[in-house]
Amino acid sequence: EAQVTQNPRYLITVTGKKLTVTCSQNMNHEYMSWYRQDPGLGLRQIYYSMNVEVTDKGDVPEGYKVSRKEKRNFPLILESPSPNQTSLYFCASSPQGVSGQPQHFGDGTRLSIL
Amino acid sequence: AQKITQTQPGMFVQEKEAVTLDCTYDTSDPSYGLFWYKQPSSGEMIFLIYQGSYDQQNATEGRYSLNFQKARKSANLVISASQLGDSAMYFCAMREASNSGGSNYKLTFGKGTLLTVNP
């Protein structure tokens, strides 16, 4: 089954404790992206990657890091989480160069930073 | 200025009736795509329908259709014969071809419309 898998689905942690949210897709997509969703703000892009070893900032990259060492994986790293990073996070992927292809989203990761 | 505007924070519809969810957009890019996603209370994002800026006909997918009025920059979602399972948050999103020289397929989302289907 074609899917984007995020882990964990839920996490409660404390300020300053490094955490990683993993994202893996099995559709051989070149493009991957991270979004955060906050009430009243919709989804906003954090980082994106066009292919292995190619990443770039989205609209709200502060406090986050990403890496793309393999095509299927695109982890989101919070080196020193703070309460304002409490949010619902989505990883998404799509093929490159096909305009009508939707982005496939993972089921989301709900992070609470105390 | 907001790129995607969904003016209806919440909508109610009776089961089996049709409902229209509004979406207006703002872009100077001649090439763009418009997407609608559904987010049920369980949280996942489900793709519903796509309309390209150069598409001549309005998109349809089962009970979903998109009323695309390019000159007015609107892309309203029409759900026919509403079902209880249609109760969810609905997001309109746009992808502009010119983002980062064409290398970023970023979706810009509206704030969403919460649809409630009443029995």
Side-chain angles (χ1 to χ4, degrees):
Chain A
E1 180 190 352
Q3 58 186 3
V4 178
T5 303
Q6 294 179 227
N7 280 295
R9 291 292 313 279
Y10 304 91
L11 179 64
I12 301 173
T13 188
V14 295
T15 299
K17 186 177 181 181
K18 180 180 178 179
L19 68 92
T20 299
V21 184
T22 63
C23 173
S24 181
Q25 51 95 3
N26 62 1
M27 295 167 281
N28 202 37
H29 287 165
E30 294 85 3
Y31 180 85
M32 297 185 75
S33 181
W34 278 101
Y35 296 86
R36 61 177 288 173
Q37 181 181 10
D38 301 291
L41 295 178
L43 282 79
R44 295 176 292 166
Q45 189 186 52
I46 304 170
Y47 268 93
Y48 68 96
S49 169
M50 288 303 296
N51 216 323
V52 175
E53 304 292 1
V54 181
T55 64
D56 208 344
K57 296 176 181 179
D59 296 321
V60 288
E62 294 77 22
Y64 305 95
K65 285 175 56 178
V66 293
S67 69
R68 188 93 182 269
K69 293 183 169 54
E70 304 165 286
K71 196 172 187 179
R72 62 184 292 126
N73 295 325
F74 190 44
L76 179 70
I77 303 155
L78 286 71
E79 293 269 2
S80 182
S82 62
N84 64 10
Q85 292 177 298
T86 292
S87 187
L88 178 58
Y89 291 85
F90 287 99
C91 180
S93 74
S94 69
Q96 193 172 338
V98 184
S99 61
Q101 277 287 335
Q103 287 186 22
H104 298 258
F105 283 79
D107 287 342
T109 295
R110 194 170 292 278
L111 286 184
S112 293
I113 316 292
L114 304 177
Chain B
Q2 286 187 36
K3 290 216 170 199
I4 297 286
T5 302
Q6 295 181 252
T7 57
Q8 307 151 316
M11 287 281 286
F12 292 88
V13 65
Q14 286 298 123
E15 194 177 7
K16 299 180 185 175
E17 292 186 351
V19 63
T20 298
L21 306 183
D22 294 341
C23 173
T24 57
Y25 59 91
D26 182 25
T27 181
S28 57
D29 198 327
S31 179
Y32 54 89
L34 296 157
F35 300 80
W36 277 90
Y37 283 85
K38 172 184 177 181
Q39 186 178 41
S41 58
S42 50
E44 70 270 28
M45 296 290 286
I46 302 167
F47 166 71
L48 296 178
I49 196 166
Y50 165 81
Q51 180 84 42
S53 59
Y54 296 119
D55 293 343
Q56 294 297 312
Q57 294 192 337
N58 287 345
T60 60
E61 287 286 349
R63 293 187 299 112
Y64 304 108
S65 61
L66 207 152
N67 183 2
F68 181 48
Q69 298 187 48
K70 193 171 181 178
R72 296 181 60 188
K73 293 189 175 179
S74 76
N76 299 338
L77 176 71
V78 181
I79 306 174
S80 63
S82 297
Q83 302 172 356
L84 295 178
D86 294 334
S87 293
M89 183 73 85
Y90 289 81
F91 290 97
C92 178
M94 176 172 64
R95 183 169 70 204
E96 298 166 280
S98 62
N99 265 329
S100 302
S103 66
N104 187 2
Y105 298 160
K106 175 179 78 172
L107 291 175
T108 300
F109 285 83
K111 295 182 180 180
T113 296
L114 181 62
L115 177 67
T116 303
V117 180
N118 294 319

